Amino acid sequence: MRFTKKAGVFGATALAAALALTACGQSGSPNGGNASAGPSPEYKVASDVKLDSSPTWTKANKAGKLVIGVKFDQPGLGNKKAGADKPEGFDIEIAKSVAAGLGFKPEQIEFKETVSKNREPFLQNGTVDLVVATYTINDARKKVVDFAGPYYIAGQDLLVKKDSTITGPDDLKGKKVCSVDGSTPAQRITEKYPDAQLVTYDTYSKCVDNLNSGSVDAVTTDDAILRGYAAQSSGALKVVGKPFSQEPYGIGLAKGDTALRTAINDSLEKLESDGTWKKAFEYTLGSSEGITIPKPDRY
Amino acid sequence: MDAITSNLGLFASGFWGTIVLSFFTMVGSLIFGTVLAAMRVSPTPVLRAAATTYVNVVRNTPLTLVLFFCAFGLPYLQISFGNTTDQVSFNYAVLALTAYTSCFVCEAIRSGIATVPLGQAEAARSIGLTFTQSLRFIILPQGIRTVVPPLASVIIAMVKNTSIASGFNNKELISAMNGVIELRGDQVPLILAGTAIAYLILSIGLGQIFGLIERKVRIAR
């Protein structure tokens, strides 16, 4: 018995040490959303929607709720703070406004976390009705799901400390640049900028921690995600602002549901023309200066 | 199927990464685990206490935290091995995995030592062998033979544990899988299944090797 007690004390000490360690690991990570002030935009819920030719809409209408897959770990885009019951960000605003266009009130939306690995499977088996999760439209994905939008053209960019000398991807030679393991931005660095030292972790927040501590010189991924982190850093970090790729973000839906896709594209177009898009962007990601709103691609 | 066949190169490099990481960890943890076991049965109270403390602390800490400590704690203390970032990360991963797996190796070997009849140790001591000599020539050779099957389980678990290293700047099967999923989102279930099969090949292969060793070193009692 004496023995077990001793072991327990040791275990507790180790646990305390480990917790202290993780706590300092997270101290630099952003808390999400609300980069700029102002009230949360409201979206007018359409009341006369009838989309009987869309199986997804019919199912959601019958259930009285729309299930939307979003990310929970990308500040400014789709982020759920610890302890919060709702995620927030630009993707979330787009999701709410599109849902409003389809006749669903905000309280009728169920946000479900999707990660890059399960977006297509979740759409294919109907776990979610829509996916608004920094979802780049590409041909491989178009084979199994349909896309409405794009609602935003992201581009790969660099996040650096405010006094950094890096002004673009060509300055990365010999520099340590961090991204998420296996992601498209990481693969692009390996292929196009082999002189840079790529460091990969499983989350962007680990990369940002490393940038804050000086272990890496830059973090790279889509500019929208980086804007979110820069907005959280109260001026310590900045986005370089020279995107070197094009990532059109679309809204994923089940393959073949053309009626739903047309309806979403219609409401996106309306959103963009009546200024709601801009409001949502400035509410979540900061200044929309110099940003062009893309036209939906009705392929 | 073409998601796998057209990315075989990526998978192969990931597979190799897992093998290299597992190999160094296996060698390291078998050696360090044996040392720990010897310390736990030694007549010196300080050594016994040190090894017991170590095993209880590290074995009861989740591996992710052990890796966290190595990958983020050691650089903070300015401890690093290797020249490039990739080498440093690899060494941290081997260190963390070895530190963790050694505890399980130690306990497996200690259970093997317990199966050797006490008379053996007494006989060894009565002919004048020191503690180290009796452990080295009498106890361990008999003890380790009986624990080949549980050691095999420990090593196979370790091979699968290497998957956590992908989150800490290591290139192995899971990072290859993440890369292929990013390229071919249309065939996610197939890519997951392919990765599982790759691990299966590694684990079954290892199981076969350990089975062979088990038959080779079996002693009739």
Side-chain angles (χ1 to χ4, degrees):
Chain A
M1 228 24 237
R2 191 173 58 92
F3 196 82
T4 349
K5 206 169 148 196
K6 201 161 66 179
V9 173
F10 287 132
T13 324
L15 195 65
L19 284 175
L21 186 78
T22 40
C24 56
Q26 280 170 352
S27 62
S29 48
N31 301 316
N34 293 348
S36 57
S40 144
E42 300 256 333
Y43 309 104
K44 202 167 164 286
V45 179
S47 53
D48 52 348
V49 189
K50 200 117 184 74
L51 275 177
D52 288 337
S53 51
S54 158
T56 311
W57 188 86
T58 313
K59 191 193 85 183
N61 193 41
K62 205 182 253 170
K65 66 168 186 180
L66 190 67
V67 186
I68 305 184
V70 296
K71 291 210 169 165
F72 277 9
D73 59 349
Q74 317 246 315
L77 286 157
N79 188 37
K80 194 166 163 180
K81 287 187 201 173
D85 53 345
K86 285 253 161 62
E88 51 190 29
F90 184 59
D91 278 351
I92 309 298
E93 297 305 319
I94 290 289
K96 280 184 194 161
S97 55
V98 163
L102 295 173
F104 292 90
K105 296 192 202 76
E107 58 271 22
Q108 284 178 302
I109 305 171
E110 185 192 327
F111 288 111
K112 205 173 189 79
E113 182 176 21
T114 50
V115 295
S116 302
K117 284 182 200 54
N118 63 21
R119 287 179 301 203
E120 291 86 3
F122 271 14
L123 281 172
Q124 284 170 307
N125 64 24
T127 310
V128 297
D129 299 321
L130 299 175
V131 166
V132 192
T134 66
Y135 203 3
T136 302
I137 303 174
N138 69 30
D139 289 339
R141 288 170 183 163
K142 271 188 193 167
K143 280 187 202 157
V144 287
V145 298
D146 274 347
F147 285 100
Y151 59 89
Y152 180 67
I153 308 281
Q156 184 169 353
D157 211 324
L158 299 163
L159 179 73
V160 293
K161 282 192 170 170
K162 71 168 190 297
D163 51 359
S164 169
T165 54
I166 297 172
T167 56
D170 297 323
D171 296 338
L172 288 177
K173 193 172 177 180
K175 293 278 199 307
K176 287 178 199 157
V177 52
C178 190
S179 196
V180 159
D181 184 36
S183 64
T184 310
Q187 293 177 13
R188 189 171 290 117
I189 293 291
T190 323
E191 281 162 28
K192 291 203 179 152
Y193 304 97
D195 290 338
Q197 283 188 57
L198 179 68
V199 178
T200 55
Y201 294 109
D202 51 352
T203 58
Y204 288 116
S205 53
K206 276 191 194 146
C207 281
V208 176
D209 283 346
N210 272 283
L211 180 62
N212 279 318
S213 74
S215 315
V216 299
D217 303 302
V219 177
T220 186
T221 182
D222 300 350
D223 56 354
I225 299 171
L226 298 178
R227 271 168 200 276
Y229 281 106
Q232 298 304 308
S233 72
S234 48
L237 305 175
K238 64 173 184 190
V239 180
V240 163
K242 282 199 193 127
F244 47 101
S245 76
Q246 285 220 329
E247 311 284 342
Y249 285 174
I251 297 177
L253 60 149
K255 180 123 184 108
D257 201 336
T258 319
L260 185 64
R261 187 155 61 104
T262 311
I264 295 175
N265 277 333
D266 288 346
S267 58
L268 277 178
E269 236 163 35
K270 213 168 122 227
L271 210 70
E272 290 162 1
S273 59
D274 69 5
T276 322
W277 190 97
K278 217 174 146 210
K279 238 184 266 169
F281 189 91
E282 289 178 349
Y283 174 62
T284 51
L285 289 173
S287 167
S288 63
E289 209 175 306
I291 289 176
T292 42
I293 307 177
K295 285 267 155 289
D297 169 23
R298 296 169 189 268
Y299 63 88
Chain B
M1 214 38 213
D2 60 317
I4 292 196
T5 47
S6 61
N7 289 300
L8 265 184
L10 199 53
F11 266 116
S13 72
F15 197 66
W16 179 244
T18 296
I19 291 176
V20 174
L21 193 56
S22 305
F23 177 77
F24 282 101
T25 307
M26 182 177 77
V27 173
S29 55
L30 284 177
I31 294 171
F32 188 48
T34 312
V35 172
L36 275 177
M39 283 168 75
R40 287 203 73 168
V41 297
S42 80
T44 322
V46 179
L47 287 183
R48 270 206 313 270
T52 310
T53 309
Y54 177 85
V55 168
N56 280 316
V57 169
V58 180
R59 187 177 61 171
N60 295 316
T61 308
L63 177 57
T64 317
L65 284 183
V66 178
L67 259 160
F68 233 104
F69 182 74
C70 285
F72 294 113
L74 292 183
Y76 190 73
L77 302 170
Q78 313 216 316
I79 302 170
S80 67
F81 324 93
N83 300 318
T84 66
T85 334
D86 286 358
Q87 269 173 20
V88 172
S89 300
F90 177 81
N91 290 333
Y92 283 152
V94 170
L95 190 71
L97 283 161
T98 304
Y100 183 79
T101 315
S102 297
C103 300
F104 296 90
V105 171
C106 162
E107 292 303 277
I109 290 180
R110 205 163 63 92
S111 72
I113 291 174
T115 65
V116 180
L118 195 62
Q120 297 274 330
E122 286 168 347
R125 208 186 302 164
S126 68
I127 59 168
L129 296 184
T130 63
F131 169 75
T132 321
Q133 282 173 328
S134 64
L135 202 65
R136 158 101 175 69
F137 298 110
I138 311 293
I139 314 288
L140 277 184
Q142 299 182 60
I144 288 183
R145 280 160 203 252
T146 57
V147 291
V148 173
L151 271 183
S153 302
V154 169
I155 298 301
I156 286 170
M158 178 275 289
V159 169
K160 290 179 288 182
N161 282 344
T162 57
S163 59
I164 299 180
S166 68
F168 298 87
N169 193 29
N170 277 279
K171 302 280 161 288
E172 37 74 83
L173 264 170
I174 295 294
S175 46
M177 178 190 85
N178 288 336
V180 178
I181 285 179
E182 193 74 10
L183 294 170
R184 295 300 301 269
D186 55 324
Q187 297 186 6
V188 176
L190 187 80
I191 297 166
L192 295 179
T195 313
I197 289 171
Y199 274 106
L200 215 61
I201 292 170
L202 263 180
S203 306
I204 291 179
L206 261 175
Q208 295 291 323
I209 294 172
F210 272 95
L212 214 70
I213 296 174
E214 189 191 338
R215 282 195 293 281
K216 207 87 182 168
V217 300
R218 183 159 39 201
I219 33 168
R221 278 248 173 82

